């Protein structure tokens, strides 16, 4: 049988991750995200769910939904799919993801409705109803979804609670990575997974062609740029996700501020990030080993130098560092602050993330003319500094994971088209693994494994046990080329057992399988011919 993979989002693109996989009759939706670049078009923002079921009978069409982590491009459409589209089946995610997801969904709902004036597609109450359908899972816990479908979560790094998910139906096995990081950072460990026997690996490919510098070199460069700006009386805007990167960079700045005895205030924009820090304090067991080891003496998320930032402080004099959402400076508070601070050459916008498309962050990094969401030109005189503090793995990490798992097939998602094509060719040429990079709304079919239990005949077993020795006298060249330290210990006679088991798999009408010796098959065929 074939494993059918329908890519509804993140196909040759980064945004609205949603992949529907059919394994031996079981259908799983991995992630249910939105494209955060589109604010005026629900059609572009959400996956096309009608491709799962034209008559919108999603409960019959899906066995379950699996959410890898709480970022909006992986979970943003979930409440819409359950409360508006009507899906009532099981949803699986880790405990931290279940805790943090409602905050992300509600914050996004408020931005879309209150700030942008969009029609409300689902309410706060409906988000709560959606989360009631969620079944939280532990890492490495095998979950029996039904009689045939088994799933298991593995630590992915990336953000707190992020997980890769393994799924098995019959003999067919696969892994969907979501977003992951193969190297540890200051607050999270590296991704960890067992060596599995996979038919298919579906992996993100955000940094498909990039090999990043060491973390320490990036940290030094970031701290140097921030310190230079605030020492000159400037303001530093760091647009970032409220969950994950904000905590990573705050730990870094907190340590630097203590060492350098700096008194310049560091601020969080009010609301979501402060709530997120509370949850990070509670979820220490999901963090890096270094943070866990220090926890009895100090909670790394108790930031002494970080304070709450109010809107009235935007034009206040004096240097400061501000973390504000959203990361892409596409709307909301980060865009509001950016318009005020971009006019001064003393100020700095530090971009720690990855930017694609027509986002403000992408325009700044590519030196394009910048306009806001109302198409008004922004006067940009400030310094712009980009540094990839990304929680995604790089090209080497992707290759290491693929090589470690050695699946029969690989599908790339969550990446830019031309970079994915390069990585696809590299996986095929260097690892000899068939690789695919489907576009959105495209379906890929790959063969799945089917194992058969077979009996063996006595004659075949005896043939396996029979030795087949070969003897070869070593020449002087063999002795010279030997790696044996003492050449005098090299035997003059080499003995090898080139045993070959020659068998034939036979399946009778009752579908019972048996392995016979080739001589038995010839005898059996001869008897069949005489009978006829």
């Amino acid at each position: 049988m074939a494993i059918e993979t329908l890519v509804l989002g993140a196909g040759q693109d980064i945004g609205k991750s949603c992949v529907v996989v059919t394994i031996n009759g079981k259908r799983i939706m991995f992630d249910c995200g939105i494209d955060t670049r589109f604010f005026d078009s629900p059609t572009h923002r959400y996956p096309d769910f009608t491709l799962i079921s034209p008559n919108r009978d999603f409960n019959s069409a899906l066995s379950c939904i699996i959410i890898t982590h709480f970022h909006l491009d992986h979970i943003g459409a979930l409440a819409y799919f359950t409360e508006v589209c009507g899906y009532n089946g099981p949803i699986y995610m880790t405990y931290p993801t279940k805790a943090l997801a409602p905050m992300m969904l509600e914050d996004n709902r408020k931005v879309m409705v209150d700030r942008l004036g969009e029609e409300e597609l689902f309410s706060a109450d409906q988000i709560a109803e959606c989360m009631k359908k969620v079944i939280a899972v532990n890492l490495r816990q095998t979950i029996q979804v039904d009689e045939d479908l088994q799933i298991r979560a593995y630590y992915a790094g990336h953000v707190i609670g992020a997980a890769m998910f393994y799924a098995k139906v019959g003999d067919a096995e696969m892994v969907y990575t979501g977003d992951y990081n193969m190297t540890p950072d200051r607050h999270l460990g590296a991704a960890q997974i067992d060596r599995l026997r996979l038919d298919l690996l579906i992996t993100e490919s955000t940094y498909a062609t990039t090999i990043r510098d060491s973390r320490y070199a990036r940290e030094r460069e970031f701290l140097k740029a921030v310190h230079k700006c605030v020492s000159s009386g400037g303001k530093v805007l760091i647009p970032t996700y409220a969950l994950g990167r904000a905590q990573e960079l705050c730990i870094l700045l907190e340590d630097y501020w203590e060492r350098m005895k700096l008194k310049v205030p560091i601020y969080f924009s009010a609301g979501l990030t402060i709530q997120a820090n509370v949850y990070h304090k509670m979820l220490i067991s999901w963090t890096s080993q270094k943070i866990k080891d220090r926890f009895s003496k100090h909670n790394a998320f108790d930031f002494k130098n970080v304070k709450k930032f109010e809107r009235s402080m935007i034009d206040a004099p004096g240097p400061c560092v501000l973390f504000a959402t959203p990361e892409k400076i596409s709307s909301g508070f980060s865009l509001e602050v950016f318009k005020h601070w971009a006019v001064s050459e003393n100020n700095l916008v530090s971009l720690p993330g990855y930017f694609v498309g027509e986002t403000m962050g992408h325009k700044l990094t590519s030196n394009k003319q910048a306009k806001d969401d109302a198409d008004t030109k922004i006067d940009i005189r400030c310094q712009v500094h980009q540094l990839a503090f990304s929680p995604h793995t790089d090209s080497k990490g992707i290759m290491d994971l693929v090589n470690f798992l050695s699946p029969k097939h690989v599908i790339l998602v969550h990446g830019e088209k031309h970079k994915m094509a390069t990585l696809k060719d590299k996986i095929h040429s260097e690892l000899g693994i068939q690789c695919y990079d489907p576009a959105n709304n495209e379906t890929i079919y790959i063969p799945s494994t089917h194992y058969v239990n077979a009996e063996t005949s006595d004659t075949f077993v005896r043939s396996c046990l029979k030795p087949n020795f070969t003897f070869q006298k070593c020449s002087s060249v063999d002795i010279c080329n030997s790696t044996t330290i003492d050449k005098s210990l090299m035997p003059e006679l080499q003995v090898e057992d080139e045993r070959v088991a020659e068998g034939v798999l036979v399946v009778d009408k009752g579908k019972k399988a048996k392995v016979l010796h080739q001589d038995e098959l010839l005898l059996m065929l001869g008897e069949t011919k005489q009978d006829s």
Side-chain angles (χ1 to χ4, degrees):
M1 295 182 69
I3 297 177
E4 176 187 312
T5 303
L6 168 62
V7 179
L8 293 181
Q12 298 179 5
D13 193 15
I14 298 174
K16 65 176 178 187
S17 288
C18 186
V19 179
V20 179
V21 181
T22 306
I23 320 172
N24 291 341
K26 301 297 177 180
R27 213 169 187 198
I28 309 165
M29 177 190 284
F30 291 97
D31 285 335
C32 189
I34 58 172
D35 194 326
T36 56
R37 293 170 296 181
F38 295 99
F39 295 98
D40 56 351
S41 173
T43 303
H44 290 110
R45 194 184 317 140
Y46 290 100
D48 185 357
F49 297 123
T50 60
L51 295 177
I52 303 172
S53 175
N55 64 358
R56 302 178 72 84
D57 183 8
F58 300 116
N59 292 313
S60 299
L62 293 173
S63 302
C64 69
I65 295 176
I66 291 173
I67 301 295
T68 58
H69 63 288
F70 55 69
H71 279 158
L72 289 172
D73 60 330
H74 294 259
I75 199 174
L78 184 63
Y80 174 80
F81 188 61
T82 60
E83 306 313 302
V84 179
C85 298
Y87 174 76
N88 290 312
I91 304 165
Y92 296 93
M93 60 183 74
T94 65
Y95 282 92
T97 302
K98 184 177 180 179
L100 293 163
M103 291 169 47
M104 296 294 287
L105 292 171
E106 174 60 13
D107 184 69
N108 183 62
R109 188 197 66 79
K110 286 180 179 177
V111 169
M112 303 311 298
V113 177
D114 299 342
R115 296 185 194 171
L116 301 181
E118 186 180 287
E119 179 186 355
E120 185 174 73
L121 295 178
F122 52 85
S123 66
D125 289 340
Q126 286 177 309
I127 291 173
E129 287 301 312
C130 168
M131 298 311 297
K132 289 178 183 178
K133 300 175 176 68
V134 172
I135 302 166
V137 302
N138 286 313
L139 294 175
R140 297 180 181 271
Q141 176 189 4
T142 299
I143 304 293
Q144 201 72 42
V145 177
D146 58 28
E147 187 178 346
D148 303 307
L149 173 58
Q150 235 181 53
I151 64 171
R152 193 182 310 130
Y154 289 96
Y155 190 83
H158 186 64
V159 291
I160 202 159
M164 303 178 179
F165 275 87
Y166 161 85
K168 179 181 181 182
V169 182
D171 296 321
E173 302 175 55
M174 64 154 294
V175 163
Y176 175 86
T177 67
D179 295 345
Y180 63 101
N181 197 351
M182 293 293 284
T183 55
D185 57 27
R186 283 184 172 255
H187 80 296
L188 295 175
Q192 297 176 12
I193 193 167
D194 296 329
R195 195 182 295 275
L196 303 163
R197 186 176 58 184
L198 301 180
D199 294 291
L200 174 63
L201 171 67
I202 302 177
T203 175
E204 68 130 313
S205 52
T206 310
Y207 286 95
T209 58
T210 303
I211 297 178
R212 290 199 296 268
D213 295 335
S214 75
R215 190 190 88 198
Y216 301 105
R218 280 177 277 139
E219 289 179 348
R220 282 195 301 271
E221 187 179 338
F222 169 75
L223 293 170
K224 182 179 178 182
V226 170
H227 195 170
K228 181 180 178 183
C229 177
V230 296
S231 296
S232 302
K235 303 178 187 297
V236 180
L237 171 63
I238 306 175
T240 184
Y241 287 124
L243 294 162
R245 193 139 44 212
Q247 285 73 32
E248 174 75 8
L249 294 176
C250 274
I251 291 172
L252 176 61
L253 286 176
E254 179 87 356
D255 179 65
Y256 186 75
W257 252 236
E258 290 293 311
R259 286 191 289 112
M260 302 300 292
K261 299 186 178 357
L262 296 178
K263 301 300 180 183
V264 176
I266 302 172
Y267 294 111
F268 277 151
S269 55
L272 185 58
T273 308
I274 295 171
Q275 288 179 274
N277 286 344
V278 174
Y279 277 100
H280 276 74
K281 292 176 187 179
M282 295 166 55
L283 297 167
I284 292 294
S285 62
W286 287 76
T287 59
S288 68
Q289 193 59 49
K290 188 174 182 179
I291 286 182
K292 284 186 279 193
D293 290 344
R294 291 181 176 179
F295 179 62
S296 60
K297 296 180 180 178
H298 171 63
N299 188 321
F301 303 104
D302 281 331
F303 301 124
K304 297 178 184 177
N305 298 286
V306 179
K307 304 172 184 177
K308 182 179 176 181
F309 190 85
E310 301 292 348
R311 185 170 269 101
S312 60
M313 301 165 65
I314 292 178
D315 294 319
C320 69
V321 177
L322 170 64
F323 290 91
T325 61
E327 180 186 64
K328 295 179 176 62
I329 328 178
S330 49
S331 63
F333 196 59
S334 64
L335 179 59
E336 184 180 344
V337 174
F338 176 70
K339 290 178 184 178
H340 283 259
W341 292 3
V343 297
S344 172
E345 58 271 12
N346 290 331
N347 296 336
L348 168 69
V349 178
S350 183
L351 303 169
Y354 186 91
F355 301 96
V356 293
E358 290 302 307
T359 59
M360 183 69 73
H362 183 262
K363 291 172 184 176
L364 290 174
T365 57
S366 57
N367 296 316
K368 291 183 180 179
Q369 187 182 60
K371 295 182 179 181
D372 64 12
D373 48 359
D375 205 34
T376 303
K377 184 179 178 182
I378 300 175
D379 183 17
I380 300 175
R381 301 179 190 175
C382 66
Q383 307 162 57
V384 177
H385 178 259
Q386 185 184 25
L387 205 59
F389 275 99
S390 177
H392 294 269
T393 193
D394 63 4
S395 176
K396 181 181 181 303
I398 297 170
M399 290 295 289
D400 286 346
L401 181 70
V402 174
N403 187 41
F404 175 76
L405 291 174
S406 295
K408 295 184 177 72
H409 302 269
V410 173
I411 292 178
L412 301 178
V413 293
H414 201 287
E416 295 179 74
K417 182 178 179 180
H418 66 286
K419 295 179 180 179
M420 294 171 79
T422 301
L423 180 61
K424 179 181 77 170
D425 292 341
K426 187 176 182 180
I427 289 172
H428 186 258
S429 62
E430 293 187 14
L431 302 179
I433 297 172
Q434 188 64 46
C435 189
Y436 312 84
D437 58 342
N440 282 339
N441 303 332
E442 186 178 340
T443 301
I444 296 292
Y445 299 89
I446 68 161
S448 63
T449 300
H450 181 62
Y451 295 98
V452 176
N453 291 323
E455 298 179 358
T456 55
S457 71
D458 293 340
T459 305
F460 175 74
V461 172
R462 285 195 296 272
S463 73
C464 295
L465 298 175
K466 184 179 179 181
N468 183 23
F469 293 124
T470 59
F471 303 92
Q472 183 177 353
K473 189 174 183 179
C474 295
S475 66
S476 57
V477 175
D478 293 327
I479 295 173
C480 289
N481 291 336
S482 170
T483 57
T484 303
I485 297 174
D486 188 347
K487 304 297 182 184
S488 65
L489 298 176
M490 180 76 178
E492 293 186 12
L493 190 66
Q494 292 278 44
V495 182
E496 295 181 359
D497 183 0
E498 298 182 348
R499 197 175 315 185
V500 177
E502 296 179 348
V504 180
L505 179 66
V506 177
V507 182
D508 62 22
K509 292 181 180 179
K511 295 187 178 180
K512 289 185 178 180
K514 191 170 186 177
V515 179
L516 305 176
H517 189 273
Q518 59 183 4
D519 293 345
E520 289 180 291
L521 180 64
L522 293 173
L523 182 61
M524 186 179 72
L525 291 174
E527 290 173 353
T528 304
K529 189 174 182 180
Q530 288 177 6
D531 292 341
S532 61

